[in-house]
Amino acid sequence: MNTVGVVGLGLIGGSLAKTYHEAGWTVLGFDLNESVSRFAELEGTLSGILDSKNIKQCDLIHIAVTPGAACQWLREHGMEIAKHTVVIDDCGTKRKVVECGMEVAAKYGFTYAGGHPMAGTHLSGYKNSRATMFQNASMIIVPPTHDDIELLDRIKSLLEPMQLKRVVFTSADDHDRMIAFTSQLAHVVSNAFIKSPTAQQHKGYSAGSFRDLTRVAWLNENMWTELFLDNKDNLLREIHTLIDNLTQYANAMEADDAATLCALLRDGRIAKELSDK
């Protein structure tokens, strides 16, 4: 029977623990909030608390915390990890944590890969975690090397309990560049959009577009602050691009320039069609 260790039992870590448990793995878990770990153990998701005594039993370790906390855990526990173990972090940015993870793995001889499951909700915490969280989702992996087919296949095999739709292998730089647009910018826009005074009067006037645009405004501000600052070069570029685009719409309306406004809207529709292909 395979054994997985899960560090951090929030929404993602808790869902990973439940996913691997349902797949028949032995699951060892740890959370800074001891009551969460004990509850997960009591309900049967965890077979035990992950500690220095049992960590070497793990075939796989998922680190589902923020990049800074992941680096701290790796530096404190790297010496305890067995050489046969594959360690994957599940953080929302990759450059900082991958640099740290590769360094610690090289020092102690285990295998490390950066990871980011493209799944989640605006809710947080173990209570909102579920075993089906990753079904048909993508998992982004930053491997230590891209030309070791045996290792890449091994990583895919270790991720099979997640029932992913695809595993995407990339670099830390490309991950952070893309995620600034596909995830981080959306959270910034949603969070800023809901601050309009009009938002407090929306009931009875809103439908799906309002709900979709504001869903991720409900976020964990501490976690997202760290993620945004970790990736500020990429995210700032996307924010400034959006500001420039919005300015074009505003200028067209201020000038009553229907032709330009119509062209901008047409270009946006076409861009959406192309992105969906």
Side-chain angles (χ1 to χ4, degrees):
M1 181 181 292
N2 290 322
T3 299
V4 62
V6 181
V7 180
L9 296 172
L11 178 69
I12 297 301
S15 295
L16 286 165
K18 292 176 181 179
T19 294
Y20 280 85
H21 169 70
E22 289 211 352
W25 285 49
T26 296
V27 182
L28 305 173
F30 170 80
D31 193 272
L32 284 176
N33 185 340
E34 187 177 350
S35 64
V36 173
S37 303
R38 294 302 179 189
F39 177 80
E41 187 178 28
L42 182 64
E43 72 171 6
T45 298
L46 299 185
S47 297
I49 306 301
L50 180 68
D51 58 27
S52 59
K53 296 178 181 178
N54 58 28
I55 192 171
K56 290 189 183 298
Q57 299 173 20
C58 296
D59 301 289
L60 170 67
I61 295 175
H62 276 284
I63 307 177
V65 294
T66 63
C71 289
Q72 181 179 346
W73 188 90
L74 280 164
R75 291 188 178 114
E76 290 178 355
H77 299 279
M79 67 185 69
E80 302 169 351
I81 299 172
K83 287 181 170 56
H84 76 272
T85 304
V86 173
V87 178
I88 299 175
D89 81 84
D90 300 276
C91 302
T93 58
K94 294 270 70 77
R95 287 174 294 179
K96 174 181 175 180
V97 70
V98 164
E99 181 180 4
C100 168
M102 297 297 183
E103 177 185 327
V104 176
K107 182 176 181 180
Y108 295 111
F110 60 86
T111 299
Y112 165 84
H116 187 184
M118 295 289 93
T121 75
H122 62 284
L123 303 173
S124 61
Y126 184 82
K127 65 181 179 180
N128 294 302
S129 63
R130 62 179 189 271
T132 57
M133 179 70 73
F134 311 105
Q135 289 180 2
N136 296 315
S138 293
M139 179 75 169
I140 302 174
I141 293 291
V142 179
T145 176
H146 289 265
D147 56 6
D148 186 341
I149 301 303
E150 185 177 340
L151 172 60
L152 301 185
D153 285 342
R154 183 183 176 200
I155 290 173
K156 284 185 176 180
S157 177
L158 291 169
L159 298 175
E160 283 181 359
M162 298 172 69
Q163 301 181 47
L164 299 161
K165 183 176 182 180
R166 64 173 61 89
V167 177
V168 178
F169 293 101
T170 189
S171 67
D173 286 338
D174 283 346
H175 169 277
D176 286 0
R177 177 178 59 83
M178 289 301 298
I179 218 70
F181 174 72
T182 61
S183 176
Q184 293 185 334
L185 181 64
H187 283 78
V188 170
V189 170
S190 182
N191 198 265
F193 174 81
I194 200 64
K195 291 177 181 177
S196 168
T198 313
Q200 304 310 314
Q201 305 160 22
H202 80 88
K203 292 182 179 178
Y205 295 85
S206 58
S209 55
F210 178 86
R211 181 178 61 251
D212 293 343
L213 188 53
T214 59
R215 180 180 66 84
V216 293
W218 191 353
L219 47 70
N220 180 329
E221 59 271 19
N222 294 311
M223 179 186 76
W224 284 100
T225 293
E226 180 177 341
L227 295 176
F228 289 164
L229 290 177
D230 274 355
N231 201 27
K232 70 178 184 180
D233 55 339
N234 290 309
L235 181 54
L236 282 170
R237 183 177 62 251
E238 295 296 344
I239 289 174
H240 289 307
T241 297
L242 178 61
I243 290 171
D244 290 343
N245 288 333
L246 288 173
T247 299
Q248 294 181 50
Y249 290 87
N251 289 342
M253 285 184 276
E254 288 172 354
D256 287 323
D257 186 346
T260 297
L261 180 59
C262 186
L264 290 169
L265 294 170
R266 181 191 66 240
D267 291 347
R269 173 179 56 78
I270 292 172
K272 171 59 176 172
E273 292 171 354
L274 292 174
S275 73
D276 286 347
K277 287 184 178 180

